[in-house]
Amino acid sequence: DAKTTQPTSMDCAEGRAANLPCNHSTISGNEYVYWYRQIHSQGPQYIIHGLKNNETNEMASLIITEDRKSSTLILPHATLRDTAVYYCIAASNFGNEKLTFGTGTRLTIIP
Amino acid sequence: EPEVTQTPSHQVTQMGQEVILRCVPISNHLYFYWYRQILGQKVEFLVSFYNNEISEKSEIFDDQFSVERPDGSNFTLKIRSTKLEDSAMYFCASTFMTGGQPQHFGDGTRLSIL
């Protein structure tokens, strides 16, 4: 699986858009980009994923660059409940792809 | 929305004892996983399971660990003789199919070995 690189921490004002970057320069053509978050020690919560097209769901938007070497998760109107550790993971779409978690980005939403 | 449920939420066990952690995956899911997270560390893959057999396991998943799907709904992780270093959060996950379908996680069992 491709390694991903994320900033260690970020702050965002409540009500503003939170933009979380992720570099995955060694991603291969059969690897999806998944985003999860973890609030305290709860189980990782799935947010969104994509292969090459931009994606949007009720939680967030995912923007993937054309060369697929990086992506940005966008939380459009951050709330205090969005304070969490956010993980960007590249995982193959073949076989029982395991998820390899890094240290993620600790996002703090500031009132 | 369907959820992965795990029981118990907290398990305290004496070192050397056997422990079984239980998971009920989402009902139509076919692929099952266990991960663990030692306090303050990363979430680590332990094992994946499909069609009643292990698909892949990590170095952590040694002979002391086993998994089973004893019936159509439960998925269990057994640790035969627990060690202090087994203390961690254990997360179960499931997905309907691989190839672009996300894994959904339970809220975990906190295992404390005394």
Side-chain angles (χ1 to χ4, degrees), chain A residues 1 6 21 26 28 32 34 36-37 47 57 62 64 75-77 92-93 96 101 106 109:
Chain A
D1 294 339
Q6 301 177 250
T26 61
S28 62
Y32 282 78
Y34 292 89
Y36 284 81
R37 71 182 182 185
I47 301 172
N57 64 19
L62 174 60
I64 302 175
L75 307 178
H77 304 286
S92 170
N93 65 355
N96 291 355
F101 287 79
R106 181 171 297 278
I109 307 301

Side-chain angles (χ1 to χ4, degrees), chain B residues 19-44:
Chain B
V19 67
I20 297 176
L21 309 183
R22 302 181 192 278
C23 169
V24 178
I26 295 172
S27 64
N28 64 341
H29 284 188
L30 302 175
Y31 297 80
F32 314 109
Y33 308 81
W34 284 100
Y35 294 80
R36 80 170 187 190
Q37 186 175 31
I38 294 170
L39 187 63
Q41 298 187 24
K42 299 177 191 179
V43 177
E44 301 173 285

Side-chain angles (χ1 to χ4, degrees), chain B residues 88-99:
Chain B
M89 285 291 293
Y90 287 80
F91 298 110
C92 173
S94 69
T95 185
F96 172 63
M97 58 180 282
T98 56

Side-chain angles (χ1 to χ4, degrees), chain A residues 22 24 51-54 63-72:
Chain A
C22 178
H24 31 79
L51 187 62
K52 51 184 177 181
N53 296 324
N54 297 337
I63 309 298
I64 302 175
T65 58
E66 196 168 334
D67 63 8
R68 302 213 322 126
K69 291 185 177 181
S70 66
S71 60
T72 301

